[in-house]
Amino acid sequence: MLKVTDLSVAYGSITALRGISFEITEGEVVAVIGPNGAGKSTLLLSIAGVLKPRSGRIEFAGRNITGKQAEALVSEGISLVPEGRHIFGSLTVAENLALGATVRRDRQAIASDIDRVLAMFPVLKDRYRQRANKLSGGEQQMLALGRAMLARPRLLLLDEPSLGLAPLIVNQVYQSIMDLRQSGVTVLVVEQNVTRALAVADRTYVLSFGAIAMSGRSTELAGTAAFDTAYFGVSREVEQE
């Protein structure tokens, strides 16, 4: 589904990613974890076409998409839920969801997909005609995820979906991620919540100082001394929620 080869990204003279290479198989949930400043958000923004790589190659479903614009990549099947949600507060929940489907022309199927999102997040149905800036942080995260789903992505990129949310809302958001996987959507999720990421992902990559420090099946990484050193820089137990 996704193949990243020797990807490097810089902000001016500051290198954020250094020769990143990894692959994601269709139907997987893959996590990228690491401390602040590791380059996690930069990686997602580069895959989504928001940032242009300095070098390297990004392939999606066998096609080279390196340097393509974000709008084109949405049409090809890649959707990003950015850190901080970035919903349109002055628009209603209904209007925000509709924006997610602007790349589509199948109106009847769009209506069906909106019903699916509202069934997944009933609170959005209750708030459907309200302005989005009236929603709580958790409700806004649900709206951002629902908006991305309206594009019918094959690959969904999630940047810190649990950030700032109450545990109950985090559970609901992650249940929706598992439901999406069951429906055939491939997911790449960036998280600082180590426990949550390892619990949901098939495989995990640890990013440190712009490079992959470690990778493997999530069930095999948790609690190992090598994982603790790769993530924290020192050997210690993985932090619990």
Side-chain angles (χ1 to χ4, degrees):
M1 176 62 73
L2 182 73
K3 183 177 181 180
V4 176
T5 306
D6 200 25
L7 184 70
S8 294
V9 181
Y11 297 95
S13 61
I14 300 174
T15 301
L17 294 177
R18 309 169 187 274
I20 298 290
S21 297
F22 69 96
E23 296 183 7
I24 300 177
T25 302
E26 186 172 4
E28 278 191 304
V29 174
V30 173
V32 176
I33 63 176
N36 282 330
K40 305 185 300 298
S41 293
T42 297
L43 177 61
L44 291 194
L45 291 171
S46 301
I47 295 170
V50 179
L51 295 176
K52 186 175 182 179
R54 182 171 62 186
S55 61
R57 183 180 177 92
I58 304 171
E59 296 177 32
F60 176 62
R63 301 186 302 276
N64 182 14
I65 61 169
T66 313
K68 276 197 171 185
Q69 295 295 316
E71 308 89 272
L73 294 182
V74 173
S75 297
E76 291 198 23
I78 299 177
S79 288
L80 169 68
V81 179
E83 180 182 352
R85 299 137 199 163
H86 293 282
I87 53 131
F88 294 90
S90 62
L91 302 182
T92 65
V93 168
E95 290 166 336
N96 271 274
L97 290 176
L99 286 174
T102 53
V103 297
R104 298 169 55 184
R105 296 294 179 265
D106 49 343
R107 292 190 177 184
Q108 187 172 351
I110 290 171
S112 176
D113 287 347
I114 289 176
D115 288 341
R116 178 186 173 204
V117 168
L118 298 180
M120 183 177 291
F121 302 120
V123 68
L124 297 184
K125 185 175 183 179
D126 296 338
R127 309 277 196 271
Y128 196 60
R129 297 300 176 187
Q130 292 184 13
R131 286 171 54 172
N133 59 11
K134 301 298 183 182
L135 303 181
S136 69
E139 291 164 352
Q140 290 182 7
Q141 184 64 62
M142 294 175 193
L143 178 56
L145 182 54
R147 181 181 61 189
M149 290 167 55
L150 260 296
R152 283 198 174 178
R154 297 176 63 192
L155 174 64
L156 182 62
L157 309 175
L158 300 174
D159 197 351
E160 302 285 4
S162 70
L163 185 65
L165 302 185
L168 185 62
I169 302 300
V170 173
N171 290 340
Q172 191 171 356
V173 168
Y174 268 88
Q175 182 57 55
S176 71
I177 294 172
M178 300 307 293
D179 292 343
L180 287 171
R181 192 244 294 269
Q182 291 298 319
S183 69
V185 178
T186 305
V187 180
L188 176 59
V189 55
V190 156
E191 263 290 4
Q192 283 194 23
N193 187 327
V194 177
T195 304
R196 181 65 67 175
L198 293 176
V200 73
D202 300 301
R203 295 184 297 111
T204 296
Y205 291 88
V206 182
L207 204 58
S208 180
F209 297 105
I212 294 175
M214 189 179 188
S215 65
R217 299 202 65 82
S218 301
T219 54
E220 299 170 354
L221 293 181
T224 66
F227 171 79
D228 295 350
T229 301
Y231 184 88
F232 298 106
V234 294
S235 181
R236 50 174 286 183
E237 292 186 357
V238 176
E239 295 179 353
Q240 301 297 313
E241 287 183 292

